[in-house]
């Protein structure tokens, strides 16, 4: 894992956008996996700004979103379909036919996961953008999800519904189900960029990077990805930095107490 610690959210967003743009310039028809939530909004703003200044085009880019709620219409303001159009797609030149967001039509519930999964099989992602949930989820792979899962329908964790209730009138309005790429789909992406900001993410970020790889903290699997970059601000990196400093001090003390004898 490559860890980049930036000063604040603005810098995280700029850094993440520069990585994405570099990849698009190398391969204008790349397949990009996208996340919703508050973490990537700044990254999307930077991409929009670059597009408006004619620095980048998304004309041939194909996008694949990680997840979508089930139980609300695509037209609902809090659907991930609406989120992506509002925060990115309607501002850039991506073609509607190249946008892929998991379908959430409840009448087709039995086919939704398999259909989206075949699209992912046919189109390996070149880069996947991720955020991390306070319980360690990526996409909607909640703690306990088998690490070998591919796209599936998930019952959302109460913690996740609570975290996401800030976007709804109240917690009862937050859907109980969602469709999500599985960990296996995410790990199959050639490159992964995870962004996290704020002190409420500090503990989970530490566990993701330094804890053991376990399905109880799905994001820990990213330690095993060959090209994963984690971009943090000082607040979300605070536990990581504090523990690293403590370990360093302990090491120095041990070395002083038991000097190497000639
Ligand atoms: C959303 C998604 C989620 C979020 C995570 C963090 O598409 O995949 O895993 O990335 O819940 O959300 P924020 O960024 O709002 O803290």
């Amino acid at each position: 894992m490559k860890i980049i610690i930036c000063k604040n959210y603005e810098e995280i967003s700029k850094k993440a956008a520069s990585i994405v743009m570099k990849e698009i310039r190398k391969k204008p028809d790349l397949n990009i996996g996208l996340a919703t939530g508050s973490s990537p909004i700044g990254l999307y703003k930077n991409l929009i700004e670059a597009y408006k200044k004619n620095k980048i085009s998304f004309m041939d880019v194909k996008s694949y979103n990680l997840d979508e709620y089930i139980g609300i219409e695509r037209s609902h303001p809090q659907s991930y379909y609406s989120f992506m159009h509002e925060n990115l797609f309607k501002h850039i030149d991506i073609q509607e036919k190249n946008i892929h967001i998991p379908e959430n039509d409840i009448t087709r519930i039995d086919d939704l996961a398999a259909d989206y999964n075949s699209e992912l099989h046919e189109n390996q992602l070149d880069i996947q953008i991720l955020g991390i949930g306070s319980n360690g989820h990526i996409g909607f792979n909640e703690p306990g999800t088998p690490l070998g899962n591919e796209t599936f329908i998930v019952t959302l964790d109460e913690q996740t519904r609570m975290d996401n209730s800030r976007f709804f009138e109240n917690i009862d309005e937050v859907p109980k189900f969602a469709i999500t790429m599985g960990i296996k789909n995410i790990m199959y992406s050639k490159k992964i960029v995870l962004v996290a900001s704020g002190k409420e993410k500090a503990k989970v970020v530490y566990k993701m990077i330094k804890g053991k790889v376990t399905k109880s903290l799905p994001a820990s699997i990213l330690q095993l990805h060959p090209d994963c970059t984690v971009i943090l601000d000082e607040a979300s990196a605070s536990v990581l930095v504090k523990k690293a400093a403590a370990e360093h001090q302990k090491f120095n003390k041990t070395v002083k107490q038991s000097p190497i004898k000639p």
Side-chain angles (χ1 to χ4, degrees):
M1 259 180 175
K2 184 174 170 197
I3 319 290
I4 300 175
I5 302 178
C6 301
K7 195 147 190 59
N8 51 33
Y9 182 70
E10 261 176 34
E11 278 189 26
I12 296 181
S13 305
K14 266 191 208 150
K15 182 72 206 166
S18 74
I19 296 175
V20 171
M21 288 195 287
K22 190 171 162 201
E23 294 303 308
I24 297 179
R25 286 188 185 115
K26 267 199 284 187
K27 188 179 175 192
D29 63 343
L30 62 57
N31 294 326
I32 185 166
L34 297 173
T36 59
S38 41
S39 306
I41 289 181
L43 151 65
Y44 298 155
K45 280 197 177 128
N46 276 273
L47 294 179
I48 294 167
E49 213 175 287
Y51 164 71
K52 288 193 170 152
K53 289 182 180 156
N54 280 326
K55 289 185 181 163
I56 193 88
S57 167
F58 300 85
M59 188 51 91
D60 297 318
V61 168
K62 283 197 218 147
S63 73
Y64 294 84
N65 263 80
L66 277 167
D67 41 18
E68 175 61 289
Y69 287 122
I70 291 181
I72 55 176
E73 301 276 313
R74 274 189 155 182
S75 57
H76 188 288
Q78 294 308 329
S79 78
Y80 288 171
Y81 182 91
S82 299
F83 176 99
M84 287 311 305
H85 283 78
E86 226 22 72
N87 288 291
L88 182 64
F89 298 149
K90 77 174 190 191
H91 307 283
I92 58 175
D93 61 346
I94 190 165
Q95 302 186 66
E96 196 63 36
K97 69 175 169 73
N98 289 341
I99 295 172
H100 304 83
I101 297 177
E103 262 188 66
N104 65 351
D105 176 358
I106 207 142
T107 62
R108 296 190 53 251
I109 190 102
D110 292 339
D111 301 322
L112 297 177
D115 288 357
Y116 198 59
N117 212 44
S118 357
E119 292 199 62
L120 293 171
H121 274 246
E122 281 160 27
N123 300 281
Q124 184 181 12
L125 299 178
D126 295 289
I127 180 166
Q128 171 69 59
I129 305 302
L130 293 177
I132 179 172
S134 63
N135 62 2
H137 73 218
I138 43 175
F140 274 139
N141 290 272
E142 301 286 25
T145 306
L147 298 176
N149 262 20
E150 295 194 89
T151 314
F152 65 106
I153 308 290
V154 57
T155 305
L156 296 178
D157 214 70
E158 274 316 292
Q159 179 67 52
T160 300
R161 294 187 64 239
M162 198 110 81
D163 289 350
N164 291 2
S165 62
R166 67 191 195 275
F167 301 116
F168 292 81
E169 292 275 303
N170 57 58
I171 184 142
D172 298 329
E173 301 224 331
V174 184
K176 294 196 165 75
F177 304 99
I179 173 171
T180 181
M181 282 189 202
I183 299 274
K184 196 167 169 185
N185 304 109
I186 294 172
M187 289 296 277
Y188 190 50
S189 175
K190 292 182 195 159
K191 192 176 188 68
I192 295 179
V193 174
L194 183 145
V195 284
S197 70
K199 68 172 184 332
E200 54 294 343
K201 295 283 172 75
K203 272 192 197 149
V204 79
V205 160
Y206 174 74
K207 287 190 198 154
M208 163 179 74
I209 296 170
K210 289 287 181 185
K212 68 172 194 255
V213 174
T214 164
K215 65 178 183 180
S216 322
L217 197 122
S220 61
I221 190 81
L222 299 174
Q223 292 174 27
L224 306 182
H225 193 279
D227 185 358
C228 175
T229 301
V230 176
I231 312 181
L232 306 170
D233 62 358
E234 286 175 358
S236 61
S238 57
V239 174
L240 187 71
V241 169
K242 208 163 117 191
K243 297 236 186 204
E247 264 174 42
H248 191 68
Q249 217 174 20
K250 200 166 135 199
F251 173 77
N252 279 348
K253 219 162 137 190
T254 319
V255 171
K256 264 190 212 149
Q257 278 167 1
S258 43
I260 300 161
K261 292 197 180 109

